[in-house]
Amino acid sequence: MNRLAGKVALVTGAGRGIGAAIARAFVAEGAAVVLAELDLDTAQATAKDIAAAYANARVLAVKTDVTQSASVQSAVSEAERTFGPVDVLVNNAGINVFADPLTMTDDDWRRCFAVDLDGVWNGCRAVLPGMVERRAGSIVNIASTHAFQIIPGCFPYPVAKHGVIGLTRALGIEYAPKNVRVNAIAPGYIETQLTHDWWNAQPDPDAARRATLELPPMKRIGKPEEVAMTAVFLASDEAPFINASCITIDGGRTALHHE
Ligand SMILES: NC(=O)c1ccc[n+]([C@@H]2O[C@H](COP(=O)([O-])OP(=O)(O)OC[C@H]3O[C@@H](n4cnc5c(N)ncnc54)[C@H](O)[C@@H]3O)[C@@H](O)[C@H]2O)c1
C-alpha cells in the first residue's frame, strides 16, 4: 500500500482491460490517476468503480484520443490542473490490426501505427518536458510479446509493437541523464475484451480459446491485474535503476522453443 503515494499518473486507454486494472492498482497504491480514454463512458464508469472501492480516491476520466497530439497534451494539462504535475505516464491504449500484408489496406496500416506507435510517442512528448524540468518521471509503455516474436497473419501490429520497444529504448537513453526512466512491459495473452474479440473472430471461438490456454507453459493466460502489478513496480521508486528495459509477462511462453 502507498507505494505510489503523492504521485500523479496518467493512463491511456484506461476505460477497460489492462489500462483499467493499472488505473485501479495505481489508486490502490495512493496515486492520483487520470484515465485518458477515447470512450469517455467506459472511462467514467471505471473511474466511478475505483472511487467506490477506495476511500479518498483521486481519479478523473478525460476523453482523449492518443492519435491526436493536441488531445493528449490537453489531457496532461487537465491532469496538472486537477492533481499537479504528472509523475507517471502509462501508454497503454492500443488496438489489434491483424491482416495479410499484401491485401491490407492503407487505412489498416495507418490506423495501426496511429494508435499503437504514434499514440505512445504523443504521450511521451506531452509529459517529457515537465519530467525533464523536474528531473523526475517514469514512463511505462505497454508493448506486447509481438514486439519480438511474429505470428503469421497478424501484420502490421507486431511492426508497431517492435517500434514501441525501439521508442522505449531510445527515449530511455536520451533522458536517463535527466532522471526520467522509460520502460516497457510486454504482455503475452491477457484475458481482456480484446482477446475475447479475437477469439470470437475465429471460425470456432471455443476451440481458439482452448488452443490459446494451451500455449503458455503454465497452461493459462494472464490477468490484467498481473500486468498492473508490474506497472506499479516500474512506476514506483522501487525501480530507480531500471531504464530502457522491457519486462515480459507471459508465464514463460516466449522462452519456450517448442513442446
Ligand atoms: N490483451 C492482450 O492479450 C494483450 C497482449 C499484449 C499486449 N496488449 C496491449 O495492451 C494494451 C491494452 O490492451 P487491452 O487488452 O486491455 O485492450 P482493450 O481493447 O480491452 O482496451 C484498450 C482500451 O484503449 C482504448 N483506446 C483505443 N484507441 C484509443 C485511442 N485512440 N485513444 C485513447 N484510447 C484508446 C479503448 O477504448 C479501450 O478502452 C494494448 O496496447 C495492447 O496492444 C494486450
Side-chain angles (χ1 to χ4, degrees):
M1 284 294 164
N2 291 327
R3 291 157 74 202
L4 301 177
K7 293 195 192 292
V8 175
L10 187 142
V11 183
T12 69
R16 70 180 200 188
I18 293 170
I22 292 173
R24 175 177 280 263
F26 279 14
V27 169
E29 293 294 346
V33 180
V34 170
L35 288 73
E37 165 64 61
L38 188 61
D39 181 342
L40 185 60
D41 289 345
T42 62
Q44 284 173 332
T46 299
K48 204 171 152 195
D49 279 358
I50 295 173
Y54 298 96
N56 307 320
R58 293 183 302 152
V59 58
L60 176 73
V62 176
K63 184 169 172 70
T64 310
D65 181 352
V66 297
T67 68
Q68 306 299 316
S69 61
S71 174
V72 184
Q73 187 58 64
S74 145
V76 169
S77 300
E78 196 156 343
E80 286 175 349
R81 274 196 304 276
T82 313
F83 298 129
V86 174
D87 304 292
V88 178
L89 166 68
V90 182
N91 285 306
N92 164 77
I95 56 170
N96 281 352
V97 181
F98 294 162
D100 167 76
L102 294 184
T103 55
M104 177 190 69
T105 65
D106 288 352
D107 180 59
D108 282 340
W109 173 269
R110 275 193 294 268
R111 76 191 168 85
C112 179
F113 279 83
V115 180
D116 292 340
L117 187 55
D118 296 359
V120 178
W121 169 232
N122 288 336
C124 293
R125 107 173 136 174
V127 298
L128 275 168
M131 289 181 173
V132 166
E133 195 185 319
R134 294 186 297 279
R135 298 185 75 88
S138 173
I139 296 175
V140 180
N141 298 325
I142 306 301
S144 167
T145 47
H146 286 255
F148 33 82
Q149 291 199 310
I150 301 296
I151 304 173
C154 293
F155 192 85
Y157 177 80
V159 186
K161 291 295 188 181
H162 275 66
V164 171
I165 299 293
L167 182 63
T168 301
R169 291 162 61 89
L171 295 179
I173 297 304
E174 288 288 342
Y175 298 105
K178 306 291 183 189
N179 198 35
V180 176
R181 296 179 296 111
V182 187
N183 290 295
I185 294 175
Y189 281 104
I190 305 296
E191 189 158 2
T192 67
Q193 190 58 47
L194 196 70
T195 309
H196 280 268
D197 290 347
W198 183 79
W199 287 331
N200 291 334
Q202 303 312 303
D204 182 345
D206 202 45
R209 181 175 176 280
R210 277 186 274 111
T212 308
L213 299 185
E214 278 302 306
L215 288 172
M218 290 183 171
K219 302 301 172 200
R220 69 169 180 90
I221 63 169
K223 302 175 192 145
E225 296 72 24
E226 291 170 329
V227 180
M229 289 174 198
T230 300
V232 167
F233 170 64
L234 288 174
S236 77
D237 299 333
E238 297 162 16
F241 205 49
I242 301 183
N243 180 41
S245 278
C246 176
I247 298 181
T248 300
I249 304 179
D250 70 346
R253 170 66 206 177
T254 50
L256 178 69
H257 188 202
H258 60 73
E259 306 291 342

